[in-house]
């Protein structure tokens, strides 16, 4: 009986010490409500950004048929968002595998419209009406890739799909 109380007390101490989490630094920056000008909910973008830091910056590059934005926190790369018009027939998985240094394609949707992992993903963007005035056939793809970190894959999926949906409602779907 006396050992039972000692074991119970020890178990409580071990349980309490195992539950304590190290405190994370607080963000001094506000998570934006847009990813490089494309609106996305703050609660979806937040898990993709570091939990600490003081300053967030975006570096944008516009090209002929593509847009890339690199997001940095305190000067260190956090994520890259990109959209690009590609030849029709490409799949989200093939676009994801175009970058051999990242595995953005752990999980594929049943309709093969998007692939994602804990480090990012690729989604085909649905543009209505079909862009008939581009040379040949082309499809728009959105990519999100984290830099040097991982987030829960379901969170990356939500961010990717929100980004792709926002692109489908934007002027990026209508080429000038």
């Amino acid at each position: 009986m006396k050992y039972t109380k000692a074991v119970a007390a020890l178990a409580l101490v071990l349980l309490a010490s195992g539950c304590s989490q190290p405190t994370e630094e607080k963000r001094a920056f506000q998570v934006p409500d847009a990813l490089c000008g494309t609106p996305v909910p703050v609660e979806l973008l937040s898990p993709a950004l570091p939990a600490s830091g003081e300053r967030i910056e975006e570096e944008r590059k516009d090209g002929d048929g593509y847009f890339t934005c690199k997001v940095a926190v305190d000067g260190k790369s956090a994520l890259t968002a990109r959209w690009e018009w590609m030849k029709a027939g490409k799949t989200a998985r093939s676009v994801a595998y175009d970058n051999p240094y990242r595995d953005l394609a752990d999980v594929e949707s049943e309709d093969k419209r998007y692939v994602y992992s804990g480090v990012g993903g690729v989604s085909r963007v649905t543009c209505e009406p079909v862009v008939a005035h581009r040379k040949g056939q082309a499809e728009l793809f959105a990519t999100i890739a984290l830099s040097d970190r991982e987030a829960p894959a379901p969170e990356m999926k939500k961010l990717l799909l929100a980004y792709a949906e926002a692109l489908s409602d934007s002027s990026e779907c209508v080429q000038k």
Side-chain angles (χ1 to χ4, degrees), residues 14-113:
L14 291 174
L15 182 62
S17 67
C19 289
S20 63
Q21 302 268 341
T23 58
E24 288 185 358
E25 288 183 59
K26 294 286 182 188
R27 290 183 178 127
F29 66 89
Q30 183 175 350
V31 176
D33 60 358
L35 182 53
C36 309
T38 303
V40 292
V42 170
E43 65 272 9
L44 298 182
L45 183 54
S46 186
L49 296 173
S52 64
E54 295 185 14
R55 187 177 82 250
I56 188 168
E57 300 170 329
E58 293 179 350
E59 178 186 327
R60 301 172 187 207
K61 184 175 183 180
D62 234 334
D64 184 27
Y66 75 91
F67 173 81
T68 301
C69 180
K70 296 180 181 183
V71 178
V73 174
D74 293 342
K76 185 176 178 189
S77 180
L79 71 87
T80 301
R82 178 178 175 88
W83 59 256
E84 182 173 7
W85 287 97
M86 298 187 167
K87 185 177 180 178
K90 281 218 165 236
T91 65
R93 185 173 293 282
S94 70
V95 174
Y97 286 157
D98 282 349
N99 185 341
Y101 303 105
R102 290 180 205 252
D103 187 2
L104 302 176
D106 281 353
V107 181
E108 184 172 31
S109 65
E110 260 185 53
D111 63 2
K112 302 190 185 302
R113 186 175 59 92

Side-chain angles (χ1 to χ4, degrees), residues 96-171:
Y97 286 157
D98 282 349
N99 185 341
Y101 303 105
R102 290 180 205 252
D103 187 2
L104 302 176
D106 281 353
V107 181
E108 184 172 31
S109 65
E110 260 185 53
D111 63 2
K112 302 190 185 302
R113 186 175 59 92
Y114 60 89
V115 293
Y116 65 95
S117 72
V119 295
V122 175
S123 178
R124 175 181 289 114
V125 178
T126 304
C127 293
E128 298 293 338
V130 174
V131 182
H133 57 279
R134 286 191 53 87
K135 292 182 181 177
Q137 294 294 317
E139 295 178 298
L140 186 62
F141 285 88
T143 302
I144 303 258
L146 298 185
S147 304
D148 299 328
R149 55 189 305 274
E150 194 166 327
E155 300 299 322
M156 291 307 303
K157 173 187 170 187
K158 289 176 189 173
L159 175 60
L160 174 68
L161 295 180
Y163 182 61
E165 183 177 332
L167 285 172
S168 73
D169 293 336
S170 71
S171 63

